[in-house]
Amino acid sequence: MTYEILTDLHGKAKDLSGQSFGRLTAIAPVDRNKHSGIKWLCICECSSDLVVISNNLTRGNTTSCGCLNKELHTTHGLSDTPEYRSWLSMIHRVTKPNDGRYNYYGGRGIRVCSRWIKSFENFYADMGKRPSQKHSIDRINNNGDYEPRNCRWATQKEQCRNMRTNRLIEHNGETRCVAEWAEIKSISYQALLNRLNRGWTGNELFKPATGF
């Protein structure tokens, strides 16, 4: 198909030439829609071409020519497994702005590595089968991406201890979250948190709860 390239973007329209959006790379502006939005000729990684409105590119609504969705629903014998559902959910919360969890993941810059976003088989080869029904995918560094070196199967308890909002306590050269110290010192989580909020420090934090 032949496209006529726009030579003037006008107004506040951004030049997206050469920028990548998922599997798509914007090549040139070729048209405007009825609301004056710019349409971009894009080339997909699978070599197909596609014309996409600029907003759909920049908002992450369109990330391939359609080949990604086909691959996501490819039958490989594992489509009904929890591992596959974890992989699909991971991709959605990172790439889909209309996903309710997007602001906590893709919206703050978290990405899925190229090896995983293109292939469930690669994800499964790296992560393996989850150890139990209580395990789900967890990023070791909460500010890092979904990639083999930064991901593990973890229980909810382990993930809670890895939350960005956790308060950390340094004691005798060790730094642990409140939940871990509470378990180690046989003090209730809430009691230890109350002591922290009252300004207690050092050994005082871990006194037996009797009479507290």
Side-chain angles (χ1 to χ4, degrees):
M1 185 174 179
T2 302
Y3 300 95
E4 183 177 349
I5 307 300
L6 292 179
T7 57
D8 188 356
L9 294 178
H10 295 303
K12 298 180 180 180
K14 294 182 179 180
D15 186 356
L16 305 180
S17 302
Q19 295 186 40
S20 294
F21 303 90
R23 294 187 176 189
L24 298 175
T25 299
I27 303 301
V30 294
D31 198 2
R32 291 184 177 86
N33 65 9
K34 63 181 180 180
H35 302 294
S36 297
I38 302 297
K39 295 182 179 181
W40 284 84
L41 171 64
C42 300
I43 299 297
C44 187
E45 289 182 2
C46 70
S47 298
S48 298
D49 59 73
L50 183 72
V51 174
V52 187
I53 296 174
S54 58
N55 282 348
N56 284 336
L57 289 173
T58 57
R59 292 175 181 174
N61 295 331
T62 306
T63 57
S64 78
C65 68
C67 61
L68 178 58
N69 283 334
K70 290 179 182 178
E71 290 179 19
L72 292 180
H73 296 90
T74 296
T75 300
H76 37 57
L78 296 170
S79 298
D80 292 328
T81 64
E83 291 79 17
Y84 181 81
R85 291 191 291 272
S86 290
W87 173 73
L88 197 60
S89 179
M90 169 186 70
I91 291 175
H92 283 179
R93 61 179 172 264
V94 165
T95 64
K96 303 290 186 182
N98 59 349
D99 188 293
R101 302 158 298 176
Y102 179 80
N103 288 340
Y104 302 102
Y105 295 90
R108 68 181 189 92
I110 304 301
R111 298 291 179 263
V112 178
C113 69
S114 59
R115 173 174 167 79
W116 285 0
I117 201 168
K118 297 176 182 178
S119 169
F120 167 71
E121 287 84 351
N122 287 344
F123 171 80
Y124 191 78
D126 293 333
M127 292 293 294
K129 188 176 181 179
R130 66 175 187 169
S132 76
Q133 293 182 353
K134 295 181 179 180
H135 286 74
S136 58
I137 191 168
D138 177 49
R139 283 170 298 116
I140 299 167
N141 174 5
N142 269 293
N143 293 314
D145 293 337
Y146 285 101
E147 58 180 347
R149 292 176 298 179
N150 192 43
C151 288
R152 61 179 180 171
W153 293 115
T155 63
Q156 185 177 20
K157 184 177 181 180
E158 290 169 334
Q159 292 189 44
C160 285
R161 291 179 174 181
N162 196 33
M163 292 175 62
R164 290 182 297 135
T165 53
N166 269 340
R167 293 183 66 175
L168 300 177
I169 301 173
E170 183 176 352
H171 179 66
N172 291 338
E174 293 185 65
T175 300
R176 300 175 183 271
C177 69
V178 175
E180 287 180 298
W181 280 122
E183 185 174 313
I184 291 170
K185 299 294 186 178
S186 299
I187 301 173
S188 77
Y189 173 87
Q190 192 59 53
L192 186 53
L193 193 61
N194 288 341
R195 292 179 179 189
L196 276 174
N197 292 335
R198 291 173 181 174
W200 293 26
T201 59
N203 292 327
E204 184 181 36
L205 274 170
F206 306 111
K207 288 180 179 179
T210 302
F212 173 72

